[in-house]
Amino acid sequence: MLSEAQKKEIQEAYSRFLKSRGLTARPAQKQMIAAVARTLAAAAVPRSETDDLHPAVGVVEAGTGTGKTIAYLLAAIPLARAQECRLVLSTATVALQEQLINKDLPEVEAHTGLPMRYRLAKGRGRYLCLNKVEGHLEQQGLLGQMALYEDEAAEKLPDDVLQLYQQLMDSYASGQWDGDRDALADEVDDAIWRPLTSDHMQCSNRRCLNFSACPFYRARDRLEEADVIVANHDLVLADLALGGGAILPEPEKTIYIFDEGHHLADKASGHFAFGARLEGSRRLLKSAQKQLTQLVTETGSPVQLADPVERLHRPFEEMGLALEQLELLLRPLFAENVKDRYRFAQGRVPDPLLEPCFSLGQAADRAQQHLEQVFDLLKEAMEGGIADIPRAVAERWFPQIGSLLGRVQQIAWLAHAYARPDPEGSSPTARWINRIESPAGEDLELRSAPVSAADTLSEHLWKICYAAVITSATLTALGRFDQLFSALGLSPQTSALRLNSPFDYANCGVLQVPAMRTDPGQPDAHTDEVLEYLNTELKSVAAALVLFSSWRQMRSVLDQLDESIKNSVLAQGQYSKQETLRLHRERVDEDKRSIIFGLASFAEGVDLPGRYLTDVFITKLPFSVPDDPVDATMAEWIEQRGGNAFTDWTVPAASMRLTQAVGRLLRTEQDRGRVVLLDRRVVTRRYGRQLLDSLPPFRREIN
C-alpha cells in the first residue's frame, strides 16, 4: 500500500505542476495517477513464485487529452526512487521518445521539483562502430563484410561513400559529433549506415582497442547515472533475450512503463521470428569455408585454431546437403502454386520435410559449437592470452566470425522451428516460404513466427520485473481488454482501468458515412468511387489526412486524381514520415492546402492539432490482410479451438486500428473537424454496429 508520505509527495508534486503551468486538475488524469501509484505500491508486497495474478502489472487505457504521460511520470518517478528501482519508459515510436526526452521529462523536472536524472537508451545499430569504419577506410577491397547472401555481399564502395565515412570519422574524432545516427544533421541512407554498425555478436567489448572511445559504450555509461531511462519496445525485448541487464537495468529492480503498449505483443512476436534463404545459405557456407581458411593462413596455422576450423568442414557439408534436399522438396509446391508465398496450414510442416529440417538443425548446432570455439580463441588472443595468434589479426577477424556465428545461429533456430512440432495446447508457430527474386537468381526463403508471444512475455517479463504499467490511448477492442490480456500473457484478473477522453466529441466532430454504390469487396469499382468522391471533396478542404488500406489503391487514386488537387498531396513514400508531417505543417502555416495520403503507419503517431488537420478520410475498414501468414495461422488456431476467428480476432483487431485512425482528428479540446468513412460495411454488416459503438461519440451523419 501507499504510505501517507508517498501519497503526500505525489499530491504535492501534482499541485506544483498544475500551479506552475497555470492548469486545472483533470479528473481522468488524477484517476490515472492513483491507478499507476497503486500498481507500483503493490510491487512492494512479497509475491509467491506460484502467484499468477501479476499484482505488480497494471493496464490503463487513457483517451486522448487525458494527459497520460504526465500522469504516469508523476506517480512513477517518486515511487521508483522510494523503492530503489530504476524507471524504464518504453515506447514504440521515435516521436514519443523525443517528446519524453525533449519535452515531458524537462517539464516535470522544472515544474514539480522532483529530482531525476534521465537518459535516452538506443541499440547498437544507432551508433557508429569505430572498428567498422576504420576497417572500411583501411582495408576496403581486402576483407570487407561477410554477407549472408551473395546479393548482399559488400562490393568496392564508391568514392563518395568512402568520403562520407571519412567525414563521419573526422567529425567524431574532433568532438563535433557523438557517433549517434540521430544526431547527424543530414539523413544517412540505411544501406550506407548499416555497414558501420555492430551487434553483440561482433562486438569484442572491453577487448576492443577502441572501447574507451566507443560511442555506444560511452552512451551506455551515461545510462548508469540515470534514474529514468527512455527506451523502446525493441530494445527492452532485446535486453530480455540477452538475459536482462545487458543494456538496460536488471528487470528485478526495474519499473517498466510501456507507453504505446498496443504495439508490445506484435513487437514481441516479431522478435522471435526467424528466416533463412536456401540457396543464399549454401553460398554463405561456401564463402565461410574460404574465409576460415584465410583466417588460419593469416594466423600461421596454430593448431588450437586450425583444429576447430577443420572440424567445421563436416557440419558445413551436412548443412549444404540438407539445404539441397529441402529445396528439392519445396520447389514442387511452387510448381502448382504460381504465387510467391506458400504457407503451411496450421503451421504444421509435412512429414517429408521434418527429417531434412532436423538434419539441418543438428548440423547447424555442431557448426555453432565449433564456431564458438574459434570465437572464444580470438577473444582470448585479443587479450594477449594466445601467443600463436597475433592480436592485430584476431581483432580484424573477430567481428567477421561473430557475424558468421550469428547467421549460423539463425539457420539453426529456423531449422529447429520447422523440425519441432508446437507443444500440445500451446499457440502455434506460423511457418511459410517466400519465393525471392535477387540479382543472383531465384531463391526460397523459409520463415517462421509465433502467432503469440504471450508465454514468453509472461515468463521473461511479467514474472521477473519489479513492476510494470501498460498504457495507450487504445488498448481495448470493442470496449474490452480480453484480447490485450490474451496477446500479452496477462491474467484476466490483471488490474485494468479505462479512462475516457475529456473531449466533447459530439459538439467538436462529426463521423460521416456517405451513401456509396460499391463495397470494398469489389476493389476496382470501390477504388473508382473513392477517387470520384475525393476529387469532389478534397477541393474544399484545407488540411486533410486520407488513409488507404493498400499501396495499390493509394497509387491508383493518386495517379488519376485531379491535377489541381494532386499538387497539394504529400504521399507516403515520397519523404520520411517526419519530413512529410513537417512539410504539411509548413504548407498550412503558409495558408496553402495540404493533403497527406498514407497507409497504416499514418493512422497512429500523427499529432496534427488545430488547423493542421480538419478532415480525416478512411477509404476502407482496416481489416488485416487475408493472406498474412501469421494472422491466417492464428485464425486456424482459433477455429480449431471452437472459436470464430472473424468475430473473436479479426473484428476486434480492426476495431483497435479504426479507433487509432479516427483518433488522429481531435488532438486538443479546441479542435474541430470530421471523419469520413468510405466503407458502408459499418451499416450493412452485423459487426458494423460493434465497430461504430467502439469509436469516440462523434455526432454521426450516416446517409
Side-chain angles (χ1 to χ4, degrees):
M1 290 181 62
L2 282 168
S3 69
E4 290 303 316
Q6 289 168 342
K7 289 180 185 177
K8 184 178 179 182
E9 183 179 15
I10 294 171
Q11 289 167 354
E12 289 180 348
Y14 188 40
S15 297
R16 286 194 299 270
F17 181 82
L18 295 175
K19 184 177 180 181
S20 179
R21 294 285 315 282
L23 302 172
T24 56
R26 303 177 188 178
Q29 191 174 53
K30 291 172 67 176
Q31 286 179 269
M32 182 167 179
I33 292 172
V36 173
R38 282 195 300 270
T39 295
L40 303 188
V45 179
R47 285 184 286 168
S48 163
E49 289 184 5
T50 59
D51 184 3
D52 63 352
L53 297 183
H54 309 311
V57 178
V59 175
V60 182
E61 179 182 86
T64 306
T66 301
K68 64 180 171 62
T69 306
I70 298 301
Y72 66 63
L73 290 176
L74 290 176
I77 290 170
L79 287 177
R81 186 177 66 252
Q83 295 167 357
E84 297 182 345
C85 286
R86 297 170 77 191
L87 182 62
V88 170
L89 310 176
S90 180
T91 78
T93 61
V94 172
L96 184 52
Q97 283 182 293
E98 291 175 346
Q99 179 187 312
L100 282 163
I101 284 291
N102 299 323
K103 179 179 178 290
D104 297 327
L105 285 164
E107 276 188 359
V108 169
E109 185 177 36
H111 298 290
T112 66
L114 291 173
M116 70 178 89
R117 295 165 297 179
Y118 51 88
R119 293 286 184 187
L120 178 61
K122 302 177 185 179
R124 295 175 194 267
R126 306 307 296 178
Y127 294 98
L128 186 76
C129 172
L130 301 179
N131 271 8
K132 287 291 187 71
V133 71
E134 284 178 353
H136 281 291
L137 293 174
E138 296 173 6
Q139 301 172 38
Q140 175 65 33
L142 297 178
L143 184 61
Q145 294 281 102
M146 182 183 291
L148 179 53
Y149 304 115
E150 197 168 277
D151 54 296
E152 296 174 354
E155 299 174 354
K156 175 67 178 174
L157 293 174
D159 290 341
D160 60 333
V161 174
L162 286 174
Q163 186 178 0
L164 173 61
Y165 287 178
Q166 185 64 63
Q167 289 171 354
L168 292 176
M169 199 65 166
D170 292 344
S171 180
Y172 182 74
S174 66
Q176 296 175 316
W177 175 53
D178 62 1
D180 181 345
R181 181 182 182 180
D182 300 315
L184 288 168
D186 298 318
E187 183 69 22
V188 177
D189 186 81
D190 281 348
I192 294 174
W193 175 261
R194 199 177 304 114
L196 303 183
T197 66
S198 184
D199 58 35
H200 76 282
M201 294 300 294
Q202 300 177 63
C203 178
S204 56
N205 204 305
R206 296 184 182 277
R207 301 172 185 86
C208 176
L209 288 176
N210 287 313
F211 177 77
S212 62
C214 175
F216 171 73
Y217 279 104
R218 281 185 172 182
R220 184 174 164 187
D221 285 345
R222 291 193 290 271
L223 290 184
E224 296 297 323
E225 308 163 0
D227 311 306
V228 182
I229 297 171
V230 178
N232 59 52
H233 301 344
D234 287 319
L235 187 59
V236 170
L237 292 164
D239 187 62
L240 293 172
L242 294 172
I247 303 169
L248 301 172
E250 293 190 2
E252 293 84 355
K253 293 299 291 179
T254 297
I255 292 171
Y256 296 94
I257 306 288
F258 291 102
D259 205 338
E260 300 175 315
H262 58 287
H263 284 292
L264 187 58
D266 286 342
K267 291 281 187 183
S269 295
H271 200 74
F272 299 100
F274 308 120
R277 298 186 198 175
L278 298 182
E279 180 59 31
S281 296
R282 288 208 299 272
R283 290 196 295 268
L284 166 71
L285 297 175
K286 291 176 184 175
S287 172
Q289 290 279 24
K290 296 175 184 176
Q291 295 277 353
L292 289 164
T293 300
Q294 186 180 344
L295 166 62
V296 172
T297 301
E298 285 190 25
T299 53
S301 302
V303 65
Q304 61 265 56
L305 190 59
D307 213 34
V309 168
E310 177 64 32
R311 288 200 297 274
L312 274 164
H313 290 317
R314 181 68 181 272
F316 275 3
E317 187 178 285
E318 291 174 353
M319 288 174 69
L321 289 171
L323 289 164
E324 284 182 23
Q325 189 177 358
L326 276 172
E327 184 160 9
L328 287 172
L329 292 168
L330 293 173
R331 283 288 175 191
L333 298 177
F334 288 91
E336 300 171 8
N337 188 336
V338 296
K339 293 182 180 179
D340 291 331
R341 177 187 293 157
Y342 181 90
R343 183 181 66 85
F344 296 104
Q346 299 178 4
R348 293 177 181 168
V349 178
D351 288 345
L353 293 176
L354 293 178
E355 185 177 340
C357 287
F358 180 79
S359 299
L360 177 62
Q362 292 291 99
D365 283 345
R366 290 195 299 276
Q368 191 176 321
Q369 290 171 5
H370 300 318
L371 278 171
E372 284 172 352
Q373 192 175 347
V374 174
F375 188 74
D376 291 340
L377 284 167
L378 294 178
K379 253 189 202 178
E380 195 176 342
M382 285 190 294
E383 295 175 341
I386 303 179
D388 292 342
I389 303 177
R391 180 171 179 169
V393 177
E395 285 171 353
R396 190 168 72 250
W397 276 95
F398 181 82
Q400 309 303 317
I401 299 304
S403 177
L404 175 61
L405 176 57
R407 286 158 177 176
V408 169
Q409 202 173 59
Q410 275 283 328
I411 295 172
W413 289 339
L414 187 281
H416 291 314
Y418 268 67
R420 296 170 182 165
D422 298 313
E424 194 69 34
S426 69
S427 59
T429 297
R431 299 173 176 91
W432 70 99
I433 311 158
N434 294 325
R435 184 158 54 182
I436 304 289
E437 288 292 343
S438 73
E442 186 181 286
D443 203 348
L444 298 182
E445 179 185 49
L446 275 66
R447 303 283 303 175
S448 75
V451 300
S452 170
D455 292 341
T456 299
L457 287 172
S458 178
E459 290 298 318
H460 299 288
L461 180 54
W462 313 131
K463 287 185 178 180
I464 62 171
C465 72
Y466 186 83
V469 173
I470 301 133
T471 186
S472 176
T474 310
L475 290 176
T476 56
L478 303 177
R480 299 174 61 85
F481 287 101
D482 302 17
Q483 191 170 41
L484 180 82
F485 289 170
S486 175
L488 292 180
L490 294 171
S491 163
Q493 285 75 43
T494 299
S495 171
L497 176 66
R498 189 182 187 195
L499 299 170
N500 292 324
S501 168
F503 295 169
D504 184 1
Y505 285 98
N507 289 312
C508 294
V510 59
L511 172 65
Q512 297 178 347
V513 183
M516 298 189 72
R517 304 181 303 276
T518 59
D519 182 283
Q522 307 164 280
D524 292 337
H526 181 254
T527 296
D528 289 342
E529 190 171 6
V530 167
L531 171 66
E532 179 186 329
Y533 185 89
L534 293 177
N535 264 330
T536 301
E537 289 292 316
L538 292 180
K539 290 177 180 177
S540 60
V541 304
L545 172 64
V546 185
L547 295 170
F548 295 89
S549 61
S550 70
W551 282 102
R552 181 174 178 271
Q553 187 183 51
M554 186 179 82
R555 286 170 179 151
S556 178
V557 170
L558 186 60
D559 287 344
Q560 302 174 70
L561 202 62
D562 189 290
E563 286 297 328
S564 64
I565 302 172
K566 188 184 296 187
N567 294 333
S568 302
V569 172
L570 293 165
Q572 182 172 343
Q574 291 177 317
Y575 307 98
S576 70
K577 183 177 180 180
Q578 293 308 311
E579 180 65 7
T580 299
L581 296 176
R582 188 193 68 77
L583 290 170
H584 174 79
R585 293 188 189 97
E586 186 178 275
R587 287 184 180 182
V588 175
D589 287 339
E590 295 171 355
D591 293 323
K592 296 177 181 177
R593 179 172 58 194
S594 185
I595 302 159
I596 297 174
F597 274 22
L599 300 171
S601 62
F602 277 82
E604 60 176 297
V606 170
D607 190 16
L608 296 170
R611 63 196 294 258
Y612 291 124
L613 185 61
T614 56
D615 298 81
V616 175
F617 298 88
I618 301 170
T619 64
K620 186 179 174 184
L621 290 173
F623 288 115
S624 57
V625 181
D627 63 349
D628 178 84
V630 177
D631 284 349
T633 306
M634 169 64 87
E636 289 171 341
W637 184 51
I638 292 171
E639 299 280 352
Q640 188 181 13
R641 297 163 71 205
N644 183 301
F646 186 73
T647 58
D648 296 350
W649 179 260
T650 305
V651 172
S655 170
M656 289 188 72
R657 296 188 196 106
L658 183 61
T659 303
Q660 283 282 351
V662 166
R664 296 315 94 211
L665 182 65
L666 302 186
R667 307 303 297 170
T668 73
E669 293 183 56
Q670 291 74 42
D671 291 356
R672 300 290 186 273
R674 64 169 175 163
V675 175
V676 181
L677 182 56
L678 301 175
D679 190 333
R680 295 286 296 177
R681 288 178 294 180
V682 290
V683 292
T684 61
R685 304 295 169 88
R686 284 186 298 175
Y687 57 78
R689 174 62 63 179
Q690 289 180 290
L691 294 176
L692 285 175
D693 289 346
S694 67
L695 296 176
F698 289 109
R699 179 167 50 87
R700 296 178 186 173
E701 294 180 359
I702 300 176
N703 297 322

